[in-house]
Amino acid sequence: MATGQDAVRPEVRPWPALWALVLGFFMILVDSTIVSVATPAILEDLGSDVGTVVWVTSAYLLAYAVPLLITGRLGDRIGPKKLYLAGLALFTLASVWCGLTNTIEMLIVARVFQGLGASMMTPQTMAVITRIFPPDQRGRAMSLWGATAGVATLVGPILGGVLVDGLGWQWIFFINAPVGVVGFFLALRLVPDLPTHKHKFDLIGVALSAIGLFLLVFGIQEGQKYDWGQIKGPITVWSLIISGLVVLAIFVFWQSRNRGEPLLPLGLFKDRNFSLANVAITTVGFAITAMAFPLMLYAQAVRGLSPTRAALLLVPMAVISGALAPFVGRLVDRTPPRFIAGFGLLCCSVSMFWMSQVIEPDVAIWKLLLPIALLGVANGFMWAPLGTTATRNLPMHQAGAGAGVYNTTRQVGAVLGSASIAVLMESRLAHNLPGMSGGASEGFTGKLPEAVRQGFSDSMAQSLLLPAAVLLIGLVAALFFVAPSYLQKKPDTATQPVEA
């Protein structure tokens, strides 16, 4: 397998190929951050409530996460370029569909198809980095991936705010159409056709993982709505959650017994760094997704900021993370990852805890911008080292599978973050505003009445403690990273991958 890869490397132009793929990755991230800013507008226009409108994000993330294992493997089999192009086409068409919907239910359905397109695209970016860049240069390549995330966090909310204020929330989806068309033709021209590897598909594994994740997330998401009790007939919230955990346990057992080619190759986890990086990125996906909801709702409902002005709060985070990414990428190629990733995860947890302490109805904006700036430092130091460390030691024929697993765990974290923060926000609102029990934010327009601002603000602040705590698990995992093999054997082999 490696021979085939080496054979194509001389005729591959890695950086143009990566830039073309990153454009699609950028669009996926922009779309996620845009929706967080538009949540209040969607909530009002479609006459929904907080618990339901969060499904606009959760449905997307769930449809994104579940197929990643098989789309990573599928990329190895039919080629990352073909699958990326198919996913980009689906994502673009589904985006237009999202903008044309006029009910919350249809928007959620359209977001499912958008998530499926994103799931086809994302593993291919990491797989291409792994296959066309030598190990001691992947940090710089992955830094572009990380910088993309940083810039998307700036462009997405600001663009989303401008579009929501000026044209309506529908345009946060319509904007994907021209970007998708340009991205399609760039990828068609610049991304190489890499050697493929034959793989079988574990359909039983796909079914088990999909059912298990859906039951778990749906149970968590709807728990507060049904007071953690009966949903319908014999179905209860806890029966869904427990059933989801049981099905996921059966999925793991099936993967260990599958003598063919399992959907989740458990052998990948023999690599210590791969296992730990998956734990860490799960907590990052959880925290970054969870953080956006209470912050944007606070900014618009309590402070009365427009979507554009609320999005501008994230400028320090995006600028700092984008500026740091190239520097961190070079550092990753010559420094043990535990120090870099550990520093980033620590900064991320501290920033969210700090934010929870300063959020008040009348706090000076500059005091809110300080923890957001620290979040930018965290983003700059997290994405590149975690992504590079996860895939650096994997064999070439498992590049797609490894990228699929890594992105699956990240998205599972995001799904659980979205579901969990919705539950916690509803719970804190019910506690702090008992007279408006869970409905304090439903259908609000502009700034909330003075009487409820303190309770709403406290609820959002307290919700931020959850992602801050979850990130500490990722920090512990990162501290146990070991130096990659090429750094351990630098005097003998550091330059050999470049000659391949």
Side-chain angles (χ1 to χ4, degrees):
M1 300 299 181
T3 303
Q5 186 226 12
D6 293 340
V8 295
R9 185 174 290 169
E11 57 194 63
V12 170
R13 297 168 60 212
W15 287 103
L18 182 57
W19 275 107
L21 290 171
V22 157
L23 180 62
F25 182 57
F26 175 80
M27 186 168 68
I28 292 171
L29 290 175
V30 163
D31 201 72
S32 298
T33 54
I34 274 182
V35 171
S36 69
V37 174
T39 295
I42 295 172
L43 188 151
E44 176 190 349
D45 189 45
L46 298 183
S48 184
D49 56 69
V50 172
T52 303
V53 82
V54 168
W55 270 100
V56 174
T57 295
S58 292
Y60 170 80
L61 293 175
L62 188 59
Y64 188 173
V66 171
L68 281 169
L69 293 173
I70 196 166
T71 57
R73 185 68 56 82
L74 194 60
D76 283 339
R77 180 171 181 174
I78 68 174
K81 178 177 180 176
K82 291 179 181 176
L83 196 62
Y84 176 86
L85 291 173
L88 181 54
L90 177 59
F91 184 91
T92 304
L93 291 172
S95 296
V96 176
W97 182 12
C98 287
L100 294 173
T101 59
N102 55 16
T103 67
I104 191 70
E105 292 81 11
M106 189 54 67
L107 178 58
I108 291 171
V109 172
R111 288 282 281 169
V112 168
F113 283 90
Q114 203 180 28
L116 290 173
S119 75
M120 295 166 69
M121 296 163 63
T122 301
Q124 316 319 320
T125 305
M126 286 188 69
V128 167
I129 291 175
T130 304
R131 295 179 65 179
I132 68 177
F133 286 91
D136 61 345
Q137 293 180 16
R138 285 180 202 152
R140 275 168 283 175
M142 201 65 74
S143 74
L144 175 59
W145 189 70
T148 301
V151 174
T153 58
L154 171 62
V155 174
I158 294 177
L159 179 62
V162 171
L163 291 172
V164 170
D165 286 341
L167 297 171
W169 63 264
Q170 293 86 348
W171 283 87
I172 68 173
F173 299 111
F174 289 148
I175 194 67
N176 289 334
V179 178
V181 171
V182 172
F184 187 91
F185 284 104
L186 284 177
L188 188 65
R189 180 180 178 87
L190 298 174
V191 176
D193 289 307
L194 295 172
T196 58
H197 308 275
K198 291 185 177 180
H199 290 293
K200 297 178 181 178
F201 294 108
D202 178 12
L203 297 179
I204 295 177
V206 172
L208 288 172
S209 63
I211 293 169
L213 278 172
F214 177 80
L215 291 173
L216 179 63
V217 173
F218 187 84
I220 295 173
Q221 180 101 18
E222 299 296 290
Q224 184 71 18
K225 179 178 178 180
Y226 293 100
D227 197 27
W228 301 96
Q230 184 181 25
I231 296 176
K232 189 173 183 180
I235 302 173
T236 65
V237 170
W238 284 109
S239 70
L240 289 179
I241 294 174
I242 294 170
S243 297
L245 291 172
V246 170
V247 173
L248 289 175
I250 295 171
F251 165 71
V252 174
F253 177 77
W254 165 249
Q255 299 305 286
S256 68
R257 295 291 180 177
N258 187 348
R259 299 305 177 200
E261 193 163 2
L263 178 64
L264 177 64
L266 297 180
L268 292 173
F269 292 95
K270 293 179 181 178
D271 183 280
R272 176 172 168 176
N273 281 359
F274 181 80
S275 298
L276 293 172
N278 274 278
V279 173
I281 199 64
T282 301
T283 68
V284 171
F286 183 105
I288 295 298
T289 302
M291 176 271 300
F293 288 105
L295 180 60
M296 287 297 108
L297 286 171
Y298 159 78
Q300 296 180 52
V302 177
R303 302 307 295 262
L305 300 180
S306 67
T308 302
R309 293 182 64 198
L312 287 172
L313 293 174
L314 301 176
V315 167
M317 175 182 73
V319 171
I320 292 172
S321 61
L324 283 175
F327 164 75
V328 174
R330 289 191 293 271
L331 204 59
V332 168
D333 284 332
R334 54 179 189 265
T335 307
R338 70 162 67 95
F339 303 116
I340 308 172
F343 176 72
L345 285 156
L346 177 61
C347 287
C348 199
S349 180
V350 170
S351 70
M352 292 187 190
F353 177 79
W354 186 1
M355 207 182 303
S356 75
Q357 301 306 299
V358 300
I359 283 182
E360 290 287 344
D362 299 311
V363 68
I365 291 294
W366 68 267
K367 292 184 178 180
L368 193 59
L369 293 178
L370 291 177
I372 291 175
L374 182 60
L375 190 58
V377 175
N379 274 329
F381 278 85
M382 288 189 308
W383 294 99
L386 290 178
T388 308
T389 302
T391 58
R392 192 161 240 160
N393 295 331
L394 298 184
M396 291 300 106
H397 70 280
Q398 291 187 322
V405 172
Y406 180 79
N407 283 286
T408 297
T409 58
R410 176 169 65 88
Q411 286 307 315
V412 167
V415 170
L416 294 177
S418 173
S420 301
I421 203 68
V423 170
L424 188 55
M425 286 191 301
E426 294 267 359
S427 172
R428 299 320 299 161
L429 285 169
H431 178 269
N432 293 318
L433 297 169
M436 306 184 72
S437 141
S441 64
E442 294 178 14
F444 68 82
T445 55
K447 200 170 183 178
L448 286 170
E450 180 71 34
V452 299
R453 284 182 210 159
Q454 185 65 56
F456 193 97
S457 178
D458 290 345
S459 300
M460 299 302 104
Q462 291 159 10
S463 298
L464 286 169
L465 293 174
L466 175 63
V470 168
L471 282 163
L472 295 177
I473 300 172
L475 171 60
V476 172
L479 292 178
F480 284 92
F481 281 154
V482 296
S485 54
Y486 82 92
L487 277 179
Q488 294 173 359
K489 303 174 182 179
K490 194 169 183 178
D492 300 318
T493 63
T495 59
Q496 288 182 12
V498 182
E499 297 169 0

